[in-house]
Amino acid sequence: AQKVTQAQTEISVVEKEDVTLDCVYETRDTTYYLFWYKQPPSGELVFLIRRNSFDEQNEISGRYSWNFQKSTSSFNFTITASQVVDSAVYFCAYSGNTGKLIFGQGTTLQVKP
Amino acid sequence: DARVTQTPRHKVTEMGQEVTMRCQPILGHNTVFWYRQTMMQGLELLAYFRNRAPLDDSGMPKDRFSAEMPDATLATLKIQPSEPRDSAVYFCASGFPDRGSVLPGELFFGEGSRLTVL
């Protein structure tokens, strides 16, 4: 069965620090998608990125970057120069052959001023 | 501005009462998911539909929960009878698969329905 593990339950950093959120997945599917979602204190789930299993290129969007490594089944998320507004719960998620979207347990990021 | 609409946003009820949560997916989306979020369990998938047909509801307690899509513009999640352990935030999400695939594209989430069962 597919599984997503976010080993870091909580991370606390000071503003302007870089921070990496880890995500490891388990699957036997050959084709799948990986996602990151952000849940700010207001509670809504905000889509950040989707990555196809055939595309291992790293992606950068502003202060956000993602490192997908199939060899280690990891899809890590880095925030550069963190800001207080980045404080949120971040979820890694997986979708494979069944079409179901499975979430990890989430990592709570606190960025202190 | 297309969005997934969930009602009610907040519901407080007493144990044993029936609760119905409603979701209006984004027009044109053919896949609908129901999730439950609690501190202990995180985001749990309860059920999901494609083209109004239920594909998987294995995450749902069958004795008291039921999910339906009476039409393409409405998905419902019903709890009868409700129990205190059902207290959670229930999210609905909609999307559509990439062409030629069962995999979902981006899923759009509603703001959630916060249920408190006393």
Side-chain angles (χ1 to χ4, degrees):
Chain A
Q2 300 93 353
K3 185 179 176 182
V4 178
T5 301
Q6 295 179 253
Q8 304 148 308
T9 306
E10 292 184 22
I11 300 176
S12 182
V13 298
V14 177
E15 208 169 17
K16 295 195 175 72
E17 283 184 24
D18 298 347
V19 58
T20 295
L21 310 181
D22 297 333
C23 172
V24 175
Y25 61 95
E26 296 175 27
T27 186
R28 291 185 180 181
D29 294 335
T30 54
T31 303
Y32 51 88
Y33 281 127
L34 297 165
F35 301 76
W36 276 95
Y37 280 82
K38 173 182 179 180
Q39 187 174 41
S42 51
E44 74 273 25
L45 281 155
V46 179
F47 169 85
L48 295 178
I49 190 171
R50 181 188 71 173
R51 178 56 92 210
N52 185 304
S53 55
F54 293 114
D55 181 4
E56 288 193 68
Q57 277 196 333
N58 291 335
E59 180 150 343
I60 298 174
S61 175
R63 296 183 297 106
Y64 294 170
S65 62
W66 291 268
N67 183 354
F68 176 30
Q69 292 199 343
K70 224 169 170 178
S71 60
T72 56
S73 297
S74 65
F75 186 43
N76 297 336
F77 172 30
T78 297
I79 302 175
T80 303
S82 60
Q83 299 176 1
V84 172
V85 293
D86 296 328
S87 297
V89 182
Y90 290 87
F91 291 95
C92 180
Y94 168 97
S95 180
N97 291 337
T98 64
K100 293 196 294 189
L101 186 63
I102 300 167
F103 284 87
Q105 286 294 96
T107 297
T108 299
L109 173 65
Q110 183 182 34
V111 182
K112 298 177 182 176
Chain B
D1 185 21
R3 60 178 63 189
V4 176
T5 304
Q6 289 186 246
T7 56
R9 293 292 314 282
H10 301 273
K11 174 75 174 180
V12 180
T13 191
E14 293 189 347
M15 184 172 64
Q17 296 297 306
E18 177 179 302
V19 175
T20 298
M21 288 168 276
R22 293 177 174 80
C23 169
Q24 183 176 6
I26 293 174
L27 192 65
H29 285 184
N30 69 346
T31 307
V32 174
F33 290 73
W34 281 105
Y35 286 89
R36 174 170 66 182
Q37 186 176 31
T38 60
M39 289 292 292
M40 294 301 294
Q41 300 297 328
L43 276 161
E44 302 173 273
L45 177 63
L46 297 176
Y48 80 108
F49 296 78
R50 183 170 297 130
N51 297 322
R52 295 177 54 202
L55 289 190
D56 189 327
D57 61 1
S58 58
M60 209 163 60
K62 299 292 191 305
D63 56 338
R64 300 182 299 107
F65 284 61
S66 61
E68 295 179 344
M69 280 200 74
D71 61 61
T73 65
L74 177 65
T76 62
L77 180 66
K78 187 178 294 186
I79 308 173
Q80 167 64 15
S82 58
E83 296 181 1
R85 59 179 166 153
D86 301 329
S87 298
V89 180
Y90 291 81
F91 285 101
C92 174
S94 74
F96 54 85
D98 286 345
R99 184 177 300 178
S101 168
V102 298
L103 303 181
E106 178 183 344
L107 273 189
F108 294 80
F109 281 79
E111 293 181 303
S113 293
R114 181 175 294 277
L115 173 65
T116 302
V117 183
L118 304 174

